[in-house]
Amino acid sequence: MSIRYRIQTSKEKVIFCGLLPYEATLIKNITSQSQKVGDIGIRAGILKNDSFTVYGFSSDPDFLKSSQKFKTQLNVILNTTGSIEEIIDNTKKSINKSTSRLIHNLTTLNAHNIQEIYSLIPQDGVSRNMKKQISFAENIVKNEPKETAVALLRVAKNNASMKVEFSVFKKLFDSNPELQIRKHNVHKVLMNMFYLFFPDFTDKDVRVIVGDESRHIAHFDYESIHVALYHLIENSSKYIKPNSTLNIEIGDNGIYTQISMDMVSTEIKESEVEQIFLEGVSGELPTKIGKAGEGIGMYMAKKIIELNSGFITVTPYPKTLEETLGFKFQRNVFTINLPKFK
């Protein structure tokens, strides 16, 4: 048995309305807890308390037959309006938080792209040479080929990050995300992602070694795993020790294809191993030195990998702890496990 209802506060602010359009036009005619309205067999009613007013409508045969059953159900709804309002508010806050984060991140990435272009081709130079824009830009590209290449790679990375933001929003906030699980060459997928971060690792004099294990395959949704890898590689580029090596090995254990990211990076305490995968949580050292983000990347990566029936682990090696210029680093190994079989 079901009732379609509308809830509003004592100040007539509507906090929920599940009425049909026709029923909404009949509200002004509802004067009792239970009455029949319209000409298509509908029972309706109104109940109030100090905080809320509930209008209910139903075409359920049982409610049409029994006024008492209808009033009882409407009373249950009224008594739970406080909980319903709280659920709605929390849902709105969650959605608004996610939407605000998406808008903020996209705005920031767009600003980075504009900055990259104007650092290479000054805006005032283009403005002063409206009729010679192409030749003006062409000369800069010819005279600064390396800077041009770096700028283009950063723009490509930022554009990929925009795609990541949209994909995360779509995949993680959809109750039934659409995943296209297919067979992929893991080495190829990794290389497609790493080229985006070439400037970031180069700036820190980090050598990236990807094992030539091109025979390994795994079954996953490319778009979502692309997002997970982006966050993991970005995390590595941010926290890896300068003048060190990032070793990537690809293997399998019979059931899962495994991607191992072995590096010397900022200290991860054993008590933080599980926490770093929680939303909004950053490690103690990154927080202290001001390199912590919003604690979203690792959380997203873990959730996406799990969506693809895989899992991720991190193994810190406390005995390798070292200190450089006041910063603590140690060997940390992140292992991504993706199903070999569909």
Side-chain angles (χ1 to χ4, degrees):
M1 294 187 293
S2 62
I3 291 181
R4 295 176 293 278
Y5 56 93
R6 169 188 176 121
I7 302 174
Q8 59 190 51
T9 67
S10 57
K11 296 182 179 180
E12 298 190 352
K13 176 186 176 183
V14 177
I15 61 173
F16 177 80
C17 184
L19 302 183
L20 300 175
Y22 171 68
E23 293 168 344
T25 66
L26 299 176
I27 283 180
K28 60 182 180 295
N29 300 325
I30 309 305
T31 59
S32 67
Q33 294 184 21
S34 178
Q35 65 187 80
K36 289 190 177 181
V37 297
D39 54 4
I40 55 174
I42 296 177
R43 184 175 292 282
I46 177 174
L47 278 180
K48 297 181 180 181
N49 60 22
D50 292 340
S51 303
F52 301 100
T53 298
V54 174
Y55 292 94
F57 288 77
S58 180
S59 51
D60 188 286
D62 286 340
F63 286 143
L64 290 175
K65 292 177 183 177
S66 174
S67 177
Q68 186 57 47
K69 285 184 179 179
F70 179 83
K71 287 190 287 186
T72 299
Q73 189 67 22
L74 197 60
N75 192 57
V76 169
I77 295 172
L78 179 64
N79 289 334
T80 57
T81 48
S83 298
I84 293 172
E85 183 185 35
E86 184 178 352
I87 291 170
I88 293 171
D89 282 345
N90 289 338
T91 301
K92 285 181 178 178
K93 287 177 183 177
S94 177
I95 293 172
N96 289 340
K97 178 182 177 182
S98 302
T99 303
S100 296
R101 187 165 61 212
L102 174 67
I103 293 172
H104 173 269
N105 290 348
L106 291 177
T107 301
T108 301
L109 289 166
N110 184 59
H112 287 332
N113 274 349
I114 293 172
Q115 183 179 356
E116 289 293 341
I117 296 299
Y118 286 154
S119 67
L120 187 66
I121 305 174
Q123 186 178 14
D124 58 346
V126 174
S127 301
R128 288 197 303 266
N129 296 275
M130 295 297 290
K131 295 182 179 180
K132 300 180 180 180
Q133 286 183 343
I134 294 179
S135 59
F136 179 77
E138 185 178 18
N139 287 331
I140 292 177
V141 172
K142 286 181 180 179
N143 294 328
E144 305 288 350
K146 182 177 179 180
E147 287 75 7
T148 300
V150 171
L152 289 175
L153 284 172
R154 291 196 186 281
V155 168
K157 176 197 167 189
N158 290 336
N159 285 342
S161 185
M162 288 183 182
K163 180 183 177 183
V164 163
E165 294 295 336
F166 282 119
S167 296
V168 164
F169 195 81
K170 180 180 178 182
K171 300 286 186 183
L172 290 187
F173 299 102
D174 187 341
S175 57
N176 294 298
E178 182 180 345
L179 300 178
Q180 297 183 13
I181 306 297
R182 294 175 181 164
K183 182 171 70 174
H184 296 281
N185 183 297
V186 175
H187 184 272
K188 183 177 181 180
V189 173
L190 272 174
M191 296 308 295
N192 286 343
M193 180 56 64
F194 264 108
Y195 91 90
L196 296 173
F197 289 87
F198 173 77
D200 298 85
F201 288 113
T202 300
D203 286 348
K204 298 181 77 169
D205 293 319
V206 169
R207 185 185 181 195
V208 179
I209 301 176
V210 182
D212 187 21
E213 297 290 342
S214 56
R215 61 189 172 83
H216 291 290
I217 60 96
H219 284 85
F220 53 83
D221 171 65
Y222 179 85
E223 185 181 47
S224 60
I225 289 299
H226 181 273
V227 172
L229 290 175
Y230 182 96
H231 282 300
L232 288 167
I233 297 172
E234 181 184 48
N235 192 72
S236 299
S237 68
K238 186 187 296 184
Y239 299 123
I240 195 168
K241 179 185 176 184
N243 300 297
S244 65
T245 300
L246 171 59
N247 285 298
I248 311 294
E249 296 292 338
I250 306 170
D252 71 72
N253 64 2
I255 299 175
Y256 294 95
T257 294
Q258 297 178 314
I259 304 168
S260 171
M261 303 175 68
D262 192 334
M263 71 197 86
V264 176
S265 56
T266 51
E267 178 189 16
I268 300 175
K269 296 183 177 180
E270 291 189 17
S271 60
E272 299 176 331
V273 168
E274 296 297 329
Q275 292 181 342
I276 62 172
F277 292 112
L278 299 177
E279 184 176 13
V281 175
S282 293
E284 181 179 320
L285 182 57
T287 300
K288 283 183 178 179
I289 65 177
K291 284 193 173 184
E294 296 181 45
I296 301 298
M298 296 303 289
Y299 165 78
M300 291 294 186
K302 181 175 184 289
K303 294 291 289 185
I304 289 168
I305 291 170
E306 289 173 350
L307 272 178
N308 284 269
S309 302
F311 62 96
I312 180 172
T313 62
V314 56
T315 305
Y317 290 82
K319 292 183 179 180
T320 64
L321 190 66
E322 59 182 88
E323 190 167 324
T324 303
L325 299 176
F327 299 134
K328 292 181 179 180
F329 296 97
Q330 69 182 32
R331 182 189 175 202
N332 297 303
V333 180
F334 291 82
T335 305
I336 306 156
N337 295 266
L338 295 170
K340 286 184 62 177
F341 307 102
K342 194 172 181 179

